[in-house]
Amino acid sequence: MERNLKDALQHRRSYYELTPESPIDDAKIEEIIRFAIRHIPSAFNSQSTRLVLLLHKAFWEIVKRTLQAIIPAEAFVATEQKIDRSFASGYGTVLFFEDTNVVRDLQQKFPGYAGNFPVWSEQTSAMHQ
């Protein structure tokens, strides 16, 4: 079934019951992400969005160890359950961030727009996500 953009947006849903399997192989996932990173528009073609694709559980174990060191034990129980039942139960994770060096370079190159580049970079990151 093919949907137009309005139908796709109207029927989109957030899925909280993730599974550790993917119907798409890892190479295809990487191809889709690389395509999006290159072709989603950005102000001044800055392409300041960066990401890390994680297709293993080790990351969430590191997150839990880090949080356990700073969250009181009684509160950590709920945090650990949230991680285990949602984030860590999925097939992979995509972490998005902005390359602030790109933003800084554009601010220096185009000082008249300097104040806009951080906002534009965030907007570009949002489009990628």
Side-chain angles (χ1 to χ4, degrees):
M1 163 163 62
E2 223 175 284
R3 290 185 173 164
N4 65 35
L5 178 62
K6 286 182 182 178
D7 288 340
L9 292 174
Q10 186 176 19
H11 293 96
R12 75 123 205 104
R13 297 289 176 263
S14 295
Y15 295 94
Y16 295 101
E17 294 196 24
L18 304 174
T19 64
E21 297 87 32
S22 174
I24 303 169
D25 66 55
D26 294 356
K28 186 65 174 176
I29 293 170
E30 186 176 341
E31 176 189 329
I32 292 166
I33 289 172
R34 284 182 187 276
F35 182 88
I37 287 293
R38 280 193 195 103
H39 298 288
I40 288 177
S42 59
F44 287 70
N45 197 30
S46 61
Q47 302 298 341
S48 57
T49 301
R50 302 291 183 265
L51 64 81
V52 177
L53 172 62
L54 302 169
L55 298 175
H56 55 82
K57 304 272 184 223
F59 172 74
W60 291 109
E61 292 305 318
I62 293 167
V63 169
K64 287 194 300 188
R65 280 196 309 271
T66 303
L67 291 174
Q68 191 170 23
I70 59 174
I71 295 176
E74 62 278 0
F76 181 72
V77 172
T79 299
E80 184 174 37
Q81 287 177 350
K82 175 70 174 177
I83 291 170
D84 288 344
R85 292 180 183 164
S86 59
F87 308 120
S89 63
Y91 182 74
T93 301
V94 180
L95 302 173
F96 291 89
F97 60 99
E98 297 171 69
D99 187 338
T100 54
N101 290 326
V102 171
V103 174
R104 221 176 354 264
D105 290 347
L106 286 167
Q107 287 175 310
Q108 291 172 357
K109 197 172 181 181
F110 303 99
Y113 297 104
N116 295 341
F117 284 113
V119 174
W120 291 338
S121 181
E122 287 180 11
Q123 291 169 346
T124 297
S125 183
M127 287 191 290
H128 281 98
Q129 293 176 44

